[in-house]
Amino acid sequence: MPAPPLLALRGVSKRFGVVHVLEDIELEIRAGQVVALMGDNGAGKSTLVKVISGVSPADKGVIEWEGRTVHIRRPHDARDLGIATVYQDLALCGNLDVVGNLFLGREIRRYGFLDEVEMERRTRDLLEHLATGVPDLRAPVVSLSSGQRQTVAIARSLLGNPRVLLLDEPTAALGLQQTTEVLDLVDRLRDRGLGVLLISHNMGDVKALADRAAVLRLGRNNGFFDVNTASQEQIISSITGATQNVPRRTAFREEW
Amino acid sequence: MKGTRNTADDTGAGPSTSTTQDRRPRRGRAVVRALEGWAAAFRLKLNAGELGSLPVVLVLVAVWVVFQILNENFLSPRNLSNLSVDIVGTGLIAVGVVFVLLIGQIDLSVGSISGLAAALFAVLNVNNGVPEWLALIIAVVSGTAVGTIQGFSFARTRVPAFVVTLAGLLTWNGLMLYILGTSGTINLDENGLVAKLTSYYFTNDAAAYGLAAVGAGLVFIASYQDRRRRKAVGMPHRSLREIGVRTGGLAVVAFVAAFVLNRFQGLPLAFLIFLVAVAGLDVVLRRTRYGRQVYALGGGVEAARRASLRVVRVQTAVLAVSGTMAAIGGLFLASRITSVSQASGGGVLLLNAIAAAVIGGTSLFGGRGTTWSAVLGILVIESVASGMAITDTPVAVQFMITGGVLFAAVVIDSLSRRTQEAHGRA
């Protein structure tokens, strides 16, 4: 029996009113592994991210952290476990500067007051590791380019040394160069032993980066694939539902 | 403020070089620079790319020049000293409004709360013989309580604060009338604690000069320490010269103000309290975790929530602050006329308080502004009012001018916001 996965979802369900957005979702993320979460629009990918990150907790089901059951009811809980999230809309405060955004919710204090110098120093060190173009640390985030904002959002997620990173469409708004940078970064994070859940529409990114792919369709699991062995067509047909008599949970599932 | 930290040596013209007659543009720039430095010393880097307080300072200068031309008594020590006391009541309320505007909401109940607190104090103290200090505390705490109730309802139900406080405006005004009952106007003790709030002056010259020196000194020490720590870890820091120019500019303004105040009756207690309150709340906003959270809410509630901020708590606290400041402001307003009546907290008070915050540069869209904007804004509004009174201009014209200034301020706010966003997209 191998070590339990870092993060596992067992039968997680979520509904908004009468709409079942997520039903009986199973998912495992292991250390040093990139799991791609794929699915068409409205498949429930972003909702699943919000469930894991505690923004909108699950109605039913169990979340396990290293084999033991945990409760994630608010973003704070997820952060304390070591789960960091980069949202699709980045969720940055446009009026705050880079430093302010990075340390929002975990400001460093000195004699009870904010320690701007220390926060700025750490921000600078962190960004120097991440990006080639370090933006002006004291510029309000609203004045940065989308690529720079993405960098800020990722830097913020890495600040607390997380063990699992959730990336919701991290490359959707980026150009080629920046996409490569982000993907390289994810690669390095995997090598450092983080578990990564990568939501992406881009089959190329997934093929290049992910170890596993989990497909959602209409709020249900619709297949798990080993990205290295499964064909692109298999995955795509699972996303679109082109396969007949979609095996909901077990049939398409390969051994992890 | 632009280029405050990285551009260490861009200052060609300090105030000392501004005496040369034949170089007017340079001289103008030096003056602007001094003003900028003065304001910038209090502003956070958040404001990068903003016009800052420069427009409102220019408006204030224009208002003062025009009225001085119309009536030579306008800039007399007596009038300026009175002005420094007149601004305090509404100014304190406006400081509370700044907090609410920062989270992108608006508080319409501050006028009613100020009236309620004043009425509560008057009824308790004058009619029921409660000691002044106790009545004072009860009045202020009632403002906090009312603000907390409103804040919690708004944060929990997510009904816009605009609506919650509109209901509050009626409710608390009704409560004030109920408390006052049939007594109509209640006169406060002319020699009491509350009356002293606006009638006491530190007649010793040393008080005003001392305050100016302490203020400038604190700003200098803070900037110097900041520079030292930044330098120690190899971060960009301000040059000593820049710090010198900034604190120097601040000191000049402070000492001129002290000189003028001493020419009349000395430093007014009310003005001292006002400055201490504004400076203290400025530190709270810019240098504490709570303040950072207030700004974050103005930048986006959802983003703040995902950063694991306790949104309900912060929103409640913000309206509690504005309620408290409204109550304190109401006591100062009552103190100024040493009476409380059914008209207390009514009229244009609410509009002036909000207008002051906005004119001073606090954004209606949330997330931008400082408590000092309330000071500048209320100075403009009260200067216009005082100038109108001194030149016997009808109130009608005064309303129109204040309205015009407010309109201009809102347009500038909106334009600078759009410029910033366009800048961001480029």
Short mmCIF file of all heavy atoms in Angstrom, two decimals, chain B residues 11 45 58 70 187 207 215 283 305 337 358-359 383 400 407 421-422:
data_model
loop_
_atom_site.label_atom_id
_atom_site.label_comp_id
_atom_site.label_asym_id
_atom_site.label_seq_id
_atom_site.Cartn_x
_atom_site.Cartn_y
_atom_site.Cartn_z
N THR B 11 15.01 65.79 -7.93
CA THR B 11 14.63 67.11 -7.45
C THR B 11 15.70 68.13 -7.84
O THR B 11 16.76 68.20 -7.23
CB THR B 11 14.47 67.10 -5.93
OG1 THR B 11 15.56 66.35 -5.39
CG2 THR B 11 13.17 66.46 -5.53
N LYS B 45 1.90 54.40 -0.88
CA LYS B 45 2.26 54.12 -2.25
C LYS B 45 1.08 53.67 -3.09
O LYS B 45 1.13 53.67 -4.31
CB LYS B 45 3.33 53.03 -2.29
CG LYS B 45 4.62 53.47 -1.74
CD LYS B 45 5.31 54.34 -2.76
CE LYS B 45 6.45 55.06 -2.16
NZ LYS B 45 6.04 56.23 -1.41
N LEU B 58 -4.99 73.05 -4.87
CA LEU B 58 -5.09 74.20 -5.77
C LEU B 58 -6.44 74.89 -5.62
O LEU B 58 -6.52 76.12 -5.60
CB LEU B 58 -4.88 73.73 -7.22
CG LEU B 58 -3.47 73.24 -7.54
CD1 LEU B 58 -3.37 72.78 -8.99
CD2 LEU B 58 -2.45 74.34 -7.25
N LEU B 70 -11.81 89.71 -2.32
CA LEU B 70 -13.15 90.26 -2.09
C LEU B 70 -13.24 90.93 -0.72
O LEU B 70 -13.95 91.92 -0.56
CB LEU B 70 -14.21 89.16 -2.19
CG LEU B 70 -14.45 88.59 -3.59
CD1 LEU B 70 -15.46 87.47 -3.53
CD2 LEU B 70 -14.92 89.68 -4.55
N ASN B 187 -30.12 73.97 26.08
CA ASN B 187 -28.86 74.71 26.13
C ASN B 187 -27.87 73.99 27.02
O ASN B 187 -28.21 73.53 28.11
CB ASN B 187 -29.09 76.12 26.66
CG ASN B 187 -29.83 76.96 25.63
OD1 ASN B 187 -29.44 77.02 24.46
ND2 ASN B 187 -30.93 77.56 26.06
N ALA B 207 2.38 76.13 22.73
CA ALA B 207 1.55 74.97 22.41
C ALA B 207 1.50 74.74 20.90
O ALA B 207 1.77 73.64 20.41
CB ALA B 207 0.15 75.17 22.97
N GLY B 215 4.96 67.38 15.29
CA GLY B 215 4.44 66.76 14.07
C GLY B 215 5.52 66.55 13.04
O GLY B 215 5.72 65.45 12.53
N VAL B 283 -2.82 56.41 10.61
CA VAL B 283 -1.90 55.32 10.95
C VAL B 283 -2.65 53.98 10.98
O VAL B 283 -2.18 52.96 10.47
CB VAL B 283 -1.22 55.59 12.31
CG1 VAL B 283 -0.47 54.36 12.78
CG2 VAL B 283 -0.28 56.77 12.19
N ARG B 305 -12.35 38.06 0.26
CA ARG B 305 -12.90 36.87 0.89
C ARG B 305 -12.01 35.67 0.60
O ARG B 305 -11.72 34.86 1.47
CB ARG B 305 -14.31 36.62 0.38
CG ARG B 305 -14.99 35.43 1.05
CD ARG B 305 -16.45 35.33 0.67
NE ARG B 305 -17.24 36.37 1.31
CZ ARG B 305 -18.03 37.21 0.66
NH1 ARG B 305 -18.12 37.15 -0.65
NH2 ARG B 305 -18.72 38.12 1.31
N ILE B 337 -22.28 75.52 19.20
CA ILE B 337 -23.42 76.41 19.42
C ILE B 337 -23.98 76.24 20.82
O ILE B 337 -25.03 76.80 21.14
CB ILE B 337 -24.52 76.16 18.36
CG1 ILE B 337 -24.90 74.68 18.32
CG2 ILE B 337 -24.09 76.63 16.98
CD1 ILE B 337 -26.08 74.39 17.41
N VAL B 358 -15.15 63.35 -0.40
CA VAL B 358 -14.98 63.15 -1.84
C VAL B 358 -14.14 64.27 -2.44
O VAL B 358 -13.24 64.03 -3.25
CB VAL B 358 -16.35 63.05 -2.52
CG1 VAL B 358 -16.18 62.97 -4.03
CG2 VAL B 358 -17.09 61.84 -2.02
N ILE B 359 -14.43 65.52 -2.03
CA ILE B 359 -13.66 66.65 -2.55
C ILE B 359 -12.18 66.46 -2.21
O ILE B 359 -11.30 66.73 -3.02
CB ILE B 359 -14.18 67.98 -1.97
CG1 ILE B 359 -15.54 68.32 -2.57
CG2 ILE B 359 -13.20 69.12 -2.24
CD1 ILE B 359 -16.19 69.53 -1.97
N SER B 383 -14.27 76.94 4.04
CA SER B 383 -13.71 78.19 3.54
C SER B 383 -14.73 78.91 2.67
O SER B 383 -14.91 80.14 2.78
CB SER B 383 -12.45 77.94 2.72
OG SER B 383 -11.44 77.39 3.53
N MET B 400 -24.47 76.62 -4.46
CA MET B 400 -24.13 76.37 -5.86
C MET B 400 -22.62 76.19 -6.03
O MET B 400 -22.17 75.32 -6.77
CB MET B 400 -24.65 77.50 -6.75
CG MET B 400 -26.16 77.46 -6.90
SD MET B 400 -26.78 78.56 -8.16
CE MET B 400 -26.97 80.06 -7.25
N PHE B 407 -18.94 68.54 -7.70
CA PHE B 407 -19.08 67.94 -9.02
C PHE B 407 -17.70 67.77 -9.67
O PHE B 407 -17.37 66.71 -10.21
CB PHE B 407 -19.98 68.82 -9.89
CG PHE B 407 -20.14 68.30 -11.29
CD1 PHE B 407 -20.91 67.16 -11.54
CD2 PHE B 407 -19.52 68.92 -12.36
CE1 PHE B 407 -21.05 66.68 -12.82
CE2 PHE B 407 -19.66 68.44 -13.64
CZ PHE B 407 -20.43 67.31 -13.88
N GLU B 421 -7.10 52.75 -15.26
CA GLU B 421 -7.47 51.47 -15.85
C GLU B 421 -6.96 51.36 -17.27
O GLU B 421 -6.47 50.31 -17.69
CB GLU B 421 -8.99 51.30 -15.80
CG GLU B 421 -9.43 50.84 -14.42
CD GLU B 421 -10.93 50.73 -14.32
OE1 GLU B 421 -11.62 50.96 -15.34
OE2 GLU B 421 -11.43 50.41 -13.22
N ALA B 422 -7.08 52.44 -18.01
CA ALA B 422 -6.58 52.44 -19.38
C ALA B 422 -5.08 52.20 -19.36
O ALA B 422 -4.53 51.44 -20.16
CB ALA B 422 -6.89 53.78 -20.05
#
